[in-house]
mmCIF file of all heavy atoms in Angstrom:
data_model
loop_
_atom_site.group_PDB
_atom_site.id
_atom_site.type_symbol
_atom_site.label_atom_id
_atom_site.label_comp_id
_atom_site.label_asym_id
_atom_site.label_seq_id
_atom_site.Cartn_x
_atom_site.Cartn_y
_atom_site.Cartn_z
ATOM 1 N N ARG A 253 21.001 3.806 -10.453
ATOM 2 C CA ARG A 253 22.108 4.088 -11.360
ATOM 3 C C ARG A 253 21.779 3.762 -12.810
ATOM 4 O O ARG A 253 22.518 4.121 -13.701
ATOM 5 C CB ARG A 253 23.368 3.344 -10.922
ATOM 6 C CG ARG A 253 23.179 1.851 -10.768
ATOM 7 C CD ARG A 253 24.505 1.158 -10.515
ATOM 8 N NE ARG A 253 24.432 -0.176 -11.101
ATOM 9 C CZ ARG A 253 25.326 -1.126 -10.934
ATOM 10 N NH1 ARG A 253 26.393 -0.895 -10.212
ATOM 11 N NH2 ARG A 253 25.175 -2.302 -11.499
ATOM 12 N N LYS A 254 20.678 3.082 -13.043
ATOM 13 C CA LYS A 254 20.378 2.685 -14.414
ATOM 14 C C LYS A 254 19.764 3.825 -15.211
ATOM 15 O O LYS A 254 19.805 3.828 -16.426
ATOM 16 C CB LYS A 254 19.413 1.501 -14.410
ATOM 17 C CG LYS A 254 19.995 0.256 -13.804
ATOM 18 C CD LYS A 254 21.028 -0.392 -14.724
ATOM 19 C CE LYS A 254 21.655 -1.580 -14.025
ATOM 20 N NZ LYS A 254 22.267 -2.526 -14.942
ATOM 21 N N PHE A 255 19.109 4.730 -14.524
ATOM 22 C CA PHE A 255 18.445 5.850 -15.201
ATOM 23 C C PHE A 255 18.786 7.135 -14.453
ATOM 24 O O PHE A 255 19.064 7.108 -13.266
ATOM 25 C CB PHE A 255 16.920 5.692 -15.151
ATOM 26 C CG PHE A 255 16.370 4.532 -15.913
ATOM 27 C CD1 PHE A 255 16.036 3.364 -15.276
ATOM 28 C CD2 PHE A 255 16.169 4.624 -17.284
ATOM 29 C CE1 PHE A 255 15.500 2.295 -15.971
ATOM 30 C CE2 PHE A 255 15.632 3.561 -17.993
ATOM 31 C CZ PHE A 255 15.301 2.397 -17.336
ATOM 32 N N ASN A 256 18.692 8.257 -15.138
ATOM 33 C CA ASN A 256 18.671 9.542 -14.461
ATOM 34 C C ASN A 256 17.226 9.799 -14.048
ATOM 35 O O ASN A 256 16.388 10.122 -14.878
ATOM 36 C CB ASN A 256 19.169 10.638 -15.398
ATOM 37 C CG ASN A 256 18.928 12.020 -14.809
ATOM 38 O OD1 ASN A 256 18.519 12.150 -13.646
ATOM 39 N ND2 ASN A 256 19.177 13.040 -15.596
ATOM 40 N N GLN A 257 16.961 9.620 -12.760
ATOM 41 C CA GLN A 257 15.570 9.708 -12.331
ATOM 42 C C GLN A 257 15.119 11.137 -12.091
ATOM 43 O O GLN A 257 13.956 11.393 -11.841
ATOM 44 C CB GLN A 257 15.363 8.879 -11.067
ATOM 45 C CG GLN A 257 15.625 7.416 -11.313
ATOM 46 C CD GLN A 257 14.854 6.520 -10.361
ATOM 47 O OE1 GLN A 257 13.875 6.922 -9.751
ATOM 48 N NE2 GLN A 257 15.284 5.284 -10.245
ATOM 49 N N GLY A 258 16.045 12.085 -12.139
ATOM 50 C CA GLY A 258 15.661 13.465 -11.876
ATOM 51 C C GLY A 258 14.931 14.119 -13.026
ATOM 52 O O GLY A 258 14.191 15.086 -12.836
ATOM 53 N N SER A 259 15.156 13.609 -14.225
ATOM 54 C CA SER A 259 14.670 14.319 -15.395
ATOM 55 C C SER A 259 13.923 13.397 -16.357
ATOM 56 O O SER A 259 14.487 12.412 -16.842
ATOM 57 C CB SER A 259 15.881 14.946 -16.095
ATOM 58 O OG SER A 259 15.498 15.536 -17.304
ATOM 59 N N ASN A 260 12.677 13.718 -16.615
ATOM 60 C CA ASN A 260 11.878 12.998 -17.613
ATOM 61 C C ASN A 260 11.863 11.496 -17.393
ATOM 62 O O ASN A 260 11.822 10.723 -18.352
ATOM 63 C CB ASN A 260 12.388 13.313 -19.028
ATOM 64 C CG ASN A 260 12.252 14.785 -19.349
ATOM 65 O OD1 ASN A 260 11.191 15.367 -19.188
ATOM 66 N ND2 ASN A 260 13.352 15.405 -19.768
ATOM 67 N N PHE A 261 11.913 11.087 -16.153
ATOM 68 C CA PHE A 261 11.872 9.656 -15.836
ATOM 69 C C PHE A 261 10.486 9.315 -15.297
ATOM 70 O O PHE A 261 10.031 9.898 -14.312
ATOM 71 C CB PHE A 261 12.950 9.303 -14.816
ATOM 72 C CG PHE A 261 13.000 7.837 -14.525
ATOM 73 C CD1 PHE A 261 13.554 6.961 -15.446
ATOM 74 C CD2 PHE A 261 12.480 7.323 -13.345
ATOM 75 C CE1 PHE A 261 13.591 5.595 -15.190
ATOM 76 C CE2 PHE A 261 12.515 5.963 -13.088
ATOM 77 C CZ PHE A 261 13.071 5.105 -14.016
ATOM 78 N N PRO A 262 9.798 8.355 -15.940
ATOM 79 C CA PRO A 262 8.371 8.198 -15.673
ATOM 80 C C PRO A 262 7.989 7.231 -14.553
ATOM 81 O O PRO A 262 6.804 7.109 -14.251
ATOM 82 C CB PRO A 262 7.846 7.648 -17.006
ATOM 83 C CG PRO A 262 8.981 6.839 -17.536
ATOM 84 C CD PRO A 262 10.256 7.541 -17.079
ATOM 85 N N ASP A 263 8.943 6.544 -13.961
ATOM 86 C CA ASP A 263 8.618 5.438 -13.058
ATOM 87 C C ASP A 263 9.215 5.728 -11.690
ATOM 88 O O ASP A 263 10.312 5.270 -11.368
ATOM 89 C CB ASP A 263 9.200 4.150 -13.651
ATOM 90 C CG ASP A 263 8.708 2.904 -12.921
ATOM 91 O OD1 ASP A 263 7.866 3.035 -12.025
ATOM 92 O OD2 ASP A 263 9.194 1.812 -13.259
ATOM 93 N N LEU A 264 8.473 6.481 -10.869
ATOM 94 C CA LEU A 264 9.043 7.042 -9.650
ATOM 95 C C LEU A 264 8.413 6.462 -8.398
ATOM 96 O O LEU A 264 7.229 6.129 -8.381
ATOM 97 C CB LEU A 264 8.839 8.557 -9.655
ATOM 98 C CG LEU A 264 9.514 9.253 -10.839
ATOM 99 C CD1 LEU A 264 8.773 10.509 -11.234
ATOM 100 C CD2 LEU A 264 10.968 9.544 -10.517
ATOM 101 N N ALA A 265 9.215 6.376 -7.363
ATOM 102 C CA ALA A 265 8.695 5.984 -6.053
ATOM 103 C C ALA A 265 9.652 6.473 -4.986
ATOM 104 O O ALA A 265 10.860 6.589 -5.232
ATOM 105 C CB ALA A 265 8.525 4.468 -5.964
#
Side-chain angles (χ1 to χ4, degrees):
Chain A
R253 55 172 211 189
K254 295 287 176 159
F255 294 99
N256 170 8
Q257 297 207 19
S259 174
N260 298 309
F261 184 75
D263 190 4
L264 300 151

